[in-house]
Amino acid sequence: MQVSSITAHVLRAPLEEPFAFSQFSYTHREAMLVEVRTDDGLVGWGEAYGPARLTGTIVHEFLGPLLLGQDPRDVEANWELLYARSVDYGQKGVMLAAISALDIACWDIKSRAVGQPLYRMLGGSHADSIQCYATGFYFPQSEPVERRFEREARRFVADGFRAMKIKVGLGVERDVELVQRVRGVVGPAVKLMIDANHAYTPTEAIALGRKLEDADLWWFEEPVSCIDVDAYLEVKSRINIPLAGGECESTRFGFKPWLQRRAFDYCQPDICACGGVSEGMKIAALASLTGIHVTPHAWGSAIGQAAALHFYAARPRQPFTLTPDRKLIECDCSENPLRTSIVREPIAFVDGDWKLPTTAGLGVEVLPEALEQYRAG
Ligand SMILES: [Mg+2]
């Protein structure tokens, strides 16, 4: 089996309502999907996180031609080839996101070739579903944040979520008020996390964390700079809330200092950014040495979402326990037509859990008409 063609699809979907987080606002969502075809008719899909035109150009001009003619089932050899040929120019960011997309597509083909769901190729799972947490609570433009947060909290509970993540970063006092407001709406039984998207200095993050210690938070995500291990360690040593981070990091080499120094409690590689399924498994293996939970970041299209689910499904809890309440997967609930409208049958969401697909590969089928509808001009 040989790779016979690789297409980089750059997609862009305008939003009905722009929204913001602590760093900037969105007027549209975008994604770069790769479609890898083989000489015997198989098709695999992958996705890159980050600026779609950049990752699309990397696949089209540089990495894709390296993969043509290779056997897509040789995932390790293919990954090493792509990484070795690009490491001199890019060890993180868009280069690794482009490698991620190709790696995911190769794994999709490898699983489809034997008719198995991807998670079974990665180690399998005794469970048939994973509990989701809702990612939402972005800052709207059309109404006060307070009103939107209360409404969203009620909606997530009604939809079956038992865990949800709140965006913070509007300033310590405002964040405290908003988080307490959401806690008041959902009650004590729902798990709440907060995510600052690295908006704070250690001093500010410590102040916020201390003021929220009675809010019973499951984790505080990206409190400080995503490139400053020491800042994480400072915050971690001074508040009683577990820390989460890693969505901006790439490869086992990038994650090494974070894991070795135990800079966070929840490690969040993004499978579409960290180097793909192959590299995600190595990062998870490193994390298993340190007592740090892995829970993938996922903020992409239906392809990225499926890749995160299969990867996570096949990661056993570390350490093993009869009370499985630490395995939670991110379910982005913000507006994104590329997540909700580009595959034939989205992954089933039942009672707050995602059901693991039973069909081959990623378990989702891309709609050709959706590719045309959202193709970036
Ligand atoms: Mg985050």
Side-chain angles (χ1 to χ4, degrees):
M1 184 190 299
Q2 289 187 336
V3 172
S4 56
S5 76
I6 297 173
T7 310
H9 298 276
V10 177
L11 308 181
R12 181 183 169 95
L15 296 179
E16 287 182 9
E17 185 190 5
F19 62 82
F21 68 120
S22 72
Q23 302 301 310
F24 49 87
S25 60
Y26 286 94
T27 57
H28 65 278
R29 300 291 286 269
E30 59 178 35
M32 195 284 285
L33 304 187
V34 293
E35 177 183 7
V36 175
R37 290 184 172 267
T38 70
D39 57 355
D40 52 1
L42 287 172
V43 184
W45 289 88
E47 176 172 353
Y49 184 59
R53 283 186 194 283
L54 290 181
T55 54
T57 300
I58 292 171
V59 165
H60 188 257
E61 302 290 333
F62 181 48
L63 296 177
L66 297 172
L67 206 55
L68 284 175
Q70 304 293 345
D71 190 322
R73 296 169 298 182
D74 295 341
V75 287
E76 281 288 323
N78 291 335
W79 196 96
E80 286 300 330
L81 171 70
L82 299 178
Y83 185 69
R85 289 291 288 275
S86 60
V87 67
D88 288 15
Y89 323 112
Q91 297 131 22
K92 296 178 191 283
V94 289
M95 190 71 83
L96 264 297
I99 291 178
S100 301
L102 292 167
D103 180 77
I104 294 166
C106 285
W107 274 107
D108 190 17
I109 291 171
K110 188 179 171 87
S111 324
R112 286 175 193 268
V114 293
Q116 291 294 322
L118 173 56
Y119 77 86
R120 191 156 286 139
M121 306 293 286
L122 306 178
S125 169
H126 286 171
D128 62 2
S129 65
I130 298 183
Q131 188 184 346
C132 300
Y133 71 84
T135 286
F137 302 101
Y138 289 85
F139 313 138
Q141 294 181 347
S142 61
E143 65 178 327
V145 179
E146 289 77 4
R147 192 186 308 160
R148 176 64 62 91
F149 273 29
E150 286 185 357
R151 198 168 66 242
E152 236 171 81
R154 283 192 206 98
R155 174 165 70 89
F156 291 150
V157 170
D159 287 348
F161 286 105
R162 290 155 282 158
M164 51 192 80
K165 189 166 79 186
I166 306 167
K167 290 293 175 184
V168 295
L170 292 173
V172 171
E173 298 305 326
R174 188 98 196 276
D175 288 345
V176 170
E177 203 266 317
L178 287 165
V179 171
Q180 287 173 339
R181 191 176 280 258
V182 173
R183 175 56 83 199
V185 171
V186 301
V190 170
K191 290 189 176 81
L192 288 182
M193 305 85 142
I194 58 172
D195 183 359
N197 292 97
H198 49 82
Y200 286 126
T201 64
T203 306
E204 292 164 336
I206 291 162
L208 177 59
R210 286 187 171 171
K211 284 175 189 283
L212 284 174
E213 275 176 5
D214 336 344
D216 191 21
L217 297 179
W218 198 247
W219 71 57
F220 185 173
E221 180 172 324
E222 288 202 306
V224 290
S225 168
C226 57
I227 54 174
D228 191 342
V229 177
D230 291 305
Y232 268 75
L233 288 167
E234 184 180 349
V235 175
K236 192 179 172 205
S237 69
R238 294 180 61 190
I239 65 173
N240 286 323
I241 304 171
L243 298 189
E247 68 182 70
C248 302
E249 194 52 87
S250 305
T251 76
R252 76 204 94 143
F253 310 107
F255 274 91
K256 182 180 173 184
W258 299 92
L259 296 170
Q260 218 165 27
R261 300 180 69 191
R262 294 179 164 82
F264 37 55
D265 306 275
Y266 291 88
C267 173
Q268 301 174 297
D270 189 310
I271 298 307
C272 300
C274 73
V277 171
S278 299
E279 200 61 9
M281 290 197 293
K282 295 184 177 75
I283 293 161
L286 285 181
S288 75
L289 298 173
T290 63
I292 293 172
H293 298 283
V294 170
T295 173
H297 173 261
W299 210 70
S301 79
I303 297 297
Q305 187 183 56
L309 179 63
H310 283 274
F311 160 78
Y312 198 32
R315 305 274 61 77
R317 268 172 234 112
Q318 297 285 347
F320 185 84
T321 168
L322 289 175
T323 52
D325 63 352
R326 285 181 187 272
K327 200 157 169 177
L328 280 171
I329 189 162
E330 178 159 33
C331 178
D332 175 22
C333 295
S334 62
E335 185 187 350
N336 187 358
L338 304 178
R339 190 187 66 244
T340 50
S341 307
I342 67 159
V343 294
R344 204 172 306 281
E345 269 187 65
I347 289 165
F349 178 83
V350 181
D351 296 333
D353 289 8
W354 265 329
K355 292 292 191 191
L356 299 186
T358 53
T359 50
L362 290 170
V364 287
E365 301 299 327
V366 174
L367 294 166
E369 59 269 31
L371 294 178
E372 290 314 311
Q373 181 182 351
Y374 294 113
R375 191 172 303 287

